[in-house]
Amino acid sequence: MQLKRSFNLISTLLCLASQAATSLAQQPCNSLQFRSFTTEEGLSSNQVLSMAQDISGFLWVGTNEGLNRFDGRDFVQFFHNPADREHSLSGNSVRGITAHHELLFISTNHGVSVFNTRTQLFENELLKDSVFNYTSQELINYMVRLGDRWYAGGEKLLLELNDDFSLRNNLIELLSEEDKIIASDFIKPAMDANGIIYFPSCGAMLCYNPGNQEVSETPTSQLEFIQLQTSACHTATPYLLDGNRFVFSQWSLNPMVVEMRNHTIQDRIPVIAQQPAFNGTTLNIFRFDENTLWLAGDYGLATVSLNDFYCSMIALSDKLSTPFACRSIIRDAQENIWIASESVLYQWTQRTAHFDVLSISKTNAQSTSVFAQQFLAHNRQVYYIQTEGEVKSVFGIDNEKSNLISVPCAEGGARSMATLGNDELVIGGWKSLNKYSLLTKACSSFEWMPAALRDKSFISVLLDSHNQLWMSLAAGLGVLRHDFNTGTTIHFVNDNMLQLHQRLLPIANAYDMTEDAQGNVWMVRSKLDGKLIKWNCKTDTFEEIYPSNSAAASMNFNSESYSVMVQENIVWFGVVREGLFRYDASKNEMQQFTRLDGLPSNDVYSVELDNDGRVWIGTVQGLSCFDYSKHTFTNFNELNGLPSVEFNSASLYEKHSGKMYFSCNGHVISFRPDEVLQEAATPNIFLTSVKVEGQEDDLLPHYFYPGENHFDFAFTAVDLMNAAGFEYRYRLEGMESEWNVVGKNKTASYANIPPGNYQFIVSVKAGGEWKDGLTLYSFTLPEYFFKTWWFIVLLCMLFCAGIYFIYHLRIRRMKQMEEVRSRISRDLHDDIGSALSSIRIQSGQQKQDNQAKSETLTRIHHSSQKMLDDMDDIIWTINPQNDKGEHLLTRMREFAGELLEAAGMNYTLNFDDELESVHFNLNQKRNVYLIFKEALNNAVKYSEAKNIDVRFEKLDKHKKLLLCIKDDGIGFNALSFGEGRGEAGNGLVNMRSRAEEIKGRLEVETQLGIGTKVRLHFSL
């Protein structure tokens, strides 16, 4: 009885076949769902070593060849990159995965890697100073946090770490030298309720109390060994049953229940006895529920009843005839159980199934598939016709069980049926049409049946509200109608050669017929005719439907159509390979819906309507519910509890019970629509990759440079149960307002994005409805500085400033030219004019003697000569070709030579060679030259000097110049200089004025009897 009780528990939980109780195989398993994943689905290797789920919901799968991230639909693989160890997996054999907040600690054959789930990047540098980091050659089995500390263990390593991953204690150093030899190859530890940690190793179980250990460079305490009557290697993390009992597993031995107070073995769990071909090595212990443990090991998968610790073996699939090595089991946040083996990854789920599944028994062992041919509701009883090869049977459903109804008059089996009266059915067989009484179980034929049609196959029958029986015949033989009120029978055929009692039918026959609320009968025959027709009850004529909307002209439905339904003025029908069609009789418009709109398949076999006007569609890829008002399809498959996704033409909505019935391969499913259509939760959506200008970028937004305007996004919604059916849409807010619907594609690309502020938003379609969009990435693209508003304003300001500067420069130039003209005018007036006036006056003196005339002529000669000299100075000054320093120096040399040689004075001229390339403006050239002339003239006239020294040079790099005229004359009284008395005084005043005019400084140093020094300081 214990064995049977254990198997019953397993069957109820797993719906699996126990190898010791084959009778349980017949029990239904409505709520059990299995999926297997291998390299064909994208797994990097079939040998799975470890698993974990992160805070975002992703499942991480470690294999002997890389790490895998799974979102419920796709695997993304990660491998070791020798060229970039800091940002890749440390080793390709992933022994353990620990999720802690947003970080994953991944133990491999070459140390530990750290993966940040928020940035989707490896951040191995966090462990850079650790002895177990990604550069290690040590095989690390785990890194786990227990209490307030971290622990890392490997083949020859056992460490206790602080929060910053620095070494707190090397626990192996706490062992005696003898014990160090025994303990090796540490696997993941466990902690009991008292904070004691148990480290399993190959050779010993170590007991460690962290509260008694302090950080010390030379620890003296030792770990305690637990002797368990064997020195075998421990193979699974100890499992704490309660405060005092653990389950331990050792190599090639049955797992044992150990009482920790005295370290005694309380019980053993016999897994070896079930499969002698495999040893008893248990690799993982998993708590399935309050009373059941699952054991995963080399022997496969076993369950343990905690009531009596009896172990029984189970298989994961009916297809598996032998056990397989099972390494690890975890439960995810959606209550799915993931089972890792050395050949496949399994997902097991037990959901609350709203589908009631009734298996259809095979009466022919050679049949590969069996379906329900047609459903019928009669007196709150549901009937169906089973079709299987050549055997056709009628069944009634009672208390979710099928009861065979023997219909002796249905020769060759039943094919169609309809209600005739309260206790009568019309049974259309493959070779006859009969009336069957549910009370007497007797069959009778219809006398009014034409003799030529009595042995034909009747594929569809309908009794309308006018008490007329419509019968569609196979092989294109048309439709027969019998009116029970008048007793007349009419044969409608698609043949121009009509015979007696025949009328024209636009189609060859009808696979399905239905009546609308007005009493009209609708028929579809699409395989050859491609037509929807209506029998108008008022005119007793058939009307062929020609939709008026332009889109209908391109619609094809010239394939099989097995179902037609009417909802007020709306006619729904499905067509194999063409999808779902909706005809609006009030508008005479046709619409078509396909996979592009959300159908799971274009092969539509059955269509049914519920009380809320929703359309239920059976396809070869699952069941779908279409809400036309929302334009949403909700699809269901095996993961939702369906026993199969292959549906056929039988369907029914039974209004009294509110249940929907459909036929799918080998089963009849029934459900209440509102229970099935529970609102799907909004899945978490994540950004998994961002590329900028084709290069991988950080997932966290940051500053971008002008011109970085090509973005590629990758995203996904995480749901380990339903993600395979998700569809996506996205938009870049700030650039577009409409959604981009991309189906199951999970990438988006944008090129040449203009500068601005943007939000990348993604929405997922789950449960047939689009969920609210989620902003995954916000960023700003700056404009080139020369296109920014401030630069344009600055440019305008600079332009205006430039215009103003040019204008100001022009005005200044004009003022300078005006000053030059005024100066020239003044010079001409003062010098030339005065000289000419003097000549005019002197030449007008006629009453003079010869001596006076001679003196007058001499004065005229001197005045003329002075006038010529002044004129020459003026012309030389205003000539732009004389602006270079070499011309000024030449002029100064010529003047000094003529003047000083004539005066008999010795002189030296020291002119700096660099001055020859200096460009003097008109004002500087004129005033420097005149100051020079005035200083030499004064020296010649008044100094009585014998020697004169002239020096003209550049003082520094700032273009400061010095002109110095020094004589060794008699000097003069400096006080008289300030008063400006005498001709010399006036000359010095003029020199100072000229110096100020060129923003220079004139210095005069003089001492009586020593000489005079005149210095002019100015800048270019």
Side-chain angles (χ1 to χ4, degrees), residues 62-327:
T63 73
N64 65 324
E65 293 184 36
L67 177 69
N68 303 263
R69 185 192 68 205
F70 186 54
D71 59 9
R73 193 188 89 177
D74 299 312
F75 286 95
V76 177
Q77 302 173 353
F78 301 87
F79 298 98
H80 172 62
N81 182 2
D84 189 12
R85 292 195 297 176
E86 283 195 9
H87 303 99
S88 69
L89 196 61
S90 57
N92 286 326
S93 180
V94 180
R95 318 291 294 185
I97 307 172
T98 298
H100 182 70
H101 301 310
E102 63 185 24
L103 298 179
L104 291 179
F105 296 91
I106 305 157
S107 307
T108 76
N109 55 321
H110 290 298
V112 177
S113 295
V114 180
F115 188 86
N116 191 320
T117 59
R118 184 170 60 96
T119 62
Q120 293 292 305
L121 295 173
F122 282 95
E123 298 178 356
N124 296 333
E125 60 272 11
L126 290 177
L127 304 178
K128 196 163 189 177
D129 297 328
S130 306
V131 296
F132 54 90
N133 67 4
Y134 58 96
T135 63
S136 173
Q137 297 302 311
E138 178 76 21
L139 185 149
I140 305 296
N141 289 321
Y142 68 87
M143 182 170 172
V144 64
R145 185 177 179 85
L146 296 175
D148 59 349
R149 302 172 196 177
W150 286 91
Y151 296 90
E155 193 170 17
K156 300 178 181 178
L157 175 143
L158 184 62
L159 304 174
E160 183 180 38
L161 312 170
N162 295 308
D163 271 339
D164 60 356
F165 311 113
S166 60
L167 181 63
R168 184 182 185 93
N169 273 315
N170 185 345
L171 296 182
I172 290 183
E173 295 301 322
L174 301 180
L175 298 173
S176 65
E177 293 301 322
E178 180 182 354
D179 293 339
K180 289 179 183 178
I181 301 175
I182 300 175
S184 64
D185 199 7
F186 292 92
I187 60 175
K188 189 176 178 181
M191 176 183 283
D192 66 16
N194 297 318
I196 307 299
I197 301 176
Y198 299 88
F199 292 99
S201 72
C202 192
M205 175 72 70
L206 305 182
C207 177
Y208 175 66
N209 187 348
N212 294 337
Q213 304 297 328
E214 300 296 335
V215 178
S216 173
E217 295 182 359
T218 57
T220 57
S221 309
Q222 293 186 354
L223 279 76
E224 177 188 356
F225 271 88
I226 302 176
Q227 299 297 335
L228 299 174
Q229 302 177 7
T230 177
S231 60
C233 290
H234 291 265
T235 56
T237 300
Y239 186 81
L240 182 64
L241 289 176
D242 48 42
N244 191 46
R245 291 187 304 167
F246 271 93
V247 178
F248 289 137
S249 299
Q250 295 180 329
W251 185 261
S252 298
L253 296 173
N254 282 322
M256 53 190 153
V257 180
V258 177
E259 188 173 351
M260 298 312 300
R261 282 177 293 189
N262 50 21
H263 296 168
T264 58
I265 298 176
Q266 187 183 64
D267 207 340
R268 286 198 179 266
I269 304 172
V271 294
I272 296 179
Q274 298 294 327
Q275 288 292 333
F278 292 81
N279 64 43
T281 302
T282 296
L283 303 174
N284 189 245
I285 304 171
F286 173 76
R287 188 70 171 258
F288 178 76
D289 61 20
E290 184 178 353
N291 298 313
T292 312
L293 288 183
W294 281 13
L295 304 179
D298 287 342
Y299 45 79
L301 190 63
T303 63
V304 178
S305 172
L306 297 181
N307 296 325
D308 51 17
F309 292 108
Y310 186 85
C311 179
S312 58
M313 304 296 295
I314 61 175
L316 288 180
S317 171
D318 294 337
K319 298 179 181 179
L320 295 177
S321 58
T322 59
F324 58 93
C326 184
R327 298 190 61 92

Side-chain angles (χ1 to χ4, degrees), residues 170 251 411 636 891 926 976:
N170 185 345
W251 185 261
E411 184 180 355
F636 304 89
R891 185 79 174 179
R926 173 178 176 275
S976 64

Side-chain angles (χ1 to χ4, degrees), residues 2 76 82 139 210 220 235 267 271 328 348 351 417 473 501 529 574 687 712 733 810 816 964 988:
Q2 283 185 333
V76 177
L139 185 149
T220 57
T235 56
D267 207 340
V271 294
S328 179
W348 179 94
R351 306 185 66 181
M417 56 184 172
L473 292 94
H501 304 298
D529 310 292
L687 198 64
D712 296 289
E733 194 167 281
R810 183 171 179 272
Q816 288 178 343
C964 180
L988 291 174

Side-chain angles (χ1 to χ4, degrees), residues 359 800 897 973:
S359 296
C800 294
N973 185 359

